[in-house]
Amino acid sequence: MNHKMPFETLISVTDLQALLESGTPVLLLDCEFDLAAPEKGRAVHAEGHLPGARYAHLDNDLASAPNGANGRHPLPDRDTFAAWLRSLGLRKGQQVIAYDSNGGAWAARAWWLLRWMGHRAVAVLDGGKPAWVADGHDLTSEVPEAVNEGDFAPGDPLVGGIVSAQDVLGNIRAGAAQVLDARDPSRFRGDANPLDPVAGHMPGARNHFFRDNLDGVGRFRSAEELSATFSALLDGKPAVLSCGSGVTACHNALAMEIAGLPGARLYPGSWSEWISDPARPVETGEA
């Protein structure tokens, strides 16, 4: 087992199994989700999850309600999110592990949010539930026992700052930062997509599809590979991370942390907020 504690970016199946067997208190968050069927993830969790895992719903737990002008997945209220974490039993400094079955697309949002709340001991299970199963470990449908409320309290963010649509608009003129868009290339390019009533990307943005952070079996690429990729895209500029609604942008934030390039800022509203105001400029085509 890798005894370096806490785990702050990724944890392997082997290390997680050893951690659980050691009796170390771990909060496991199952972040299973399907954008096209928002309640499917909860059903999949009920059918089979890692032992002791509790369900984190992207819309209800890892976001606040959208109002039509702030994107599809606005950040949760910090006090509300802290209270939810305490209700799961989270204690100060306790190790949190988030996972999903989608290459960490949703688990990375949980990772980013906990870091944003000042919680250092949070990591994503590399390879997620598929890696756990492939390694011969069982899933369970058992509901975890009730827990006493934890003593978690939010602290200073351990991630880069947050930028607004106005900040991004100003940056189009100034060019001080590089916007990296985590959506798939077809959406970035401007091909029609049912998720977005307006297609395209922000002027000056570059595309780095979040799945390109992963290798052929769904695990994160090496720190060296990720560093080379992001350094070439950024060309010395600080990063502003965007996507469809501020979720998979967090996957790029995690990848950059792994690469030793921390401090990227998140545009939480992302494309779904950007296009809510028709006055904001839109580009189509390749970057």
Side-chain angles (χ1 to χ4, degrees):
M1 177 180 172
N2 173 4
H3 287 281
K4 185 183 176 185
M5 289 280 287
F7 294 91
E8 296 181 13
T9 52
L10 298 175
I11 188 170
S12 68
V13 167
T14 301
D15 282 348
L16 175 57
Q17 177 66 14
L19 197 61
L20 296 175
E21 288 178 349
S22 74
T24 302
V26 176
L27 174 58
L28 270 172
L29 295 178
D30 181 345
C31 303
E32 197 72 51
F33 197 74
D34 185 334
L35 287 172
E39 290 311 312
K40 182 179 177 182
R42 196 186 301 278
V44 172
H45 168 80
E47 289 169 11
H49 49 264
L50 273 64
R54 298 174 189 278
Y55 186 62
H57 192 289
L58 178 62
D59 289 350
N60 303 340
D61 302 318
L62 305 181
S64 59
N67 62 19
N70 59 354
R72 280 190 297 271
H73 293 104
L75 296 182
D77 173 78
R78 280 172 63 92
D79 289 341
T80 302
F81 189 58
W84 176 72
L85 291 168
R86 285 193 295 272
S87 77
L88 301 181
L90 182 62
R91 302 192 64 77
K92 295 172 186 172
Q94 183 180 356
Q95 182 71 61
V96 181
I97 306 296
Y99 73 88
D100 58 39
S101 298
N102 194 29
W106 324 125
R109 168 74 168 214
W111 171 86
W112 189 93
L113 287 173
L114 276 141
R115 302 280 290 183
W116 176 58
M117 298 290 285
H119 193 77
R120 188 172 296 281
V122 55
V124 169
L125 178 60
D126 200 14
K129 188 163 75 170
W132 179 264
V133 173
D135 223 35
H137 300 300
D138 292 332
L139 301 174
T140 181
S141 59
E142 290 183 17
V143 177
E145 294 179 5
V147 291
N148 294 326
E149 181 161 312
D151 64 359
F152 171 75
D156 294 335
L158 300 172
V159 286
I162 293 164
V163 302
S164 67
Q166 199 61 36
D167 294 328
V168 176
L169 192 61
N171 186 67
I172 291 173
R173 293 186 291 270
Q178 179 60 58
V179 174
L180 292 184
D181 189 325
R183 295 176 301 159
D184 73 72
S186 68
R187 288 177 67 198
F188 178 86
R189 197 166 49 236
D191 298 358
N193 186 284
L195 281 173
D196 305 313
V198 179
H201 57 265
M202 300 155 204
R206 288 183 171 178
N207 187 208
H208 180 69
F209 187 27
F210 79 91
R211 290 199 184 280
D212 291 341
N213 296 322
L214 307 173
D215 63 17
V217 293
R219 290 177 175 82
F220 276 80
R221 297 184 183 278
S222 71
E224 293 75 18
E225 286 180 281
L226 292 170
S227 178
T229 297
F230 282 102
S231 295
L233 284 165
L234 294 171
D235 198 23
K237 292 183 178 181
V240 169
L241 304 179
S242 180
C243 58
S245 62
V247 176
T248 58
C250 297
H251 201 278
N252 280 348
L254 173 57
M256 290 184 69
E257 192 82 25
I258 294 164
L261 300 169
R265 290 172 292 166
L266 180 72
Y267 173 28
S270 286
W271 187 246
S272 53
E273 178 186 79
W274 185 258
I275 60 174
S276 68
D277 182 349
R280 293 180 188 132
V282 169
E283 279 187 352
T284 56
E286 307 295 342

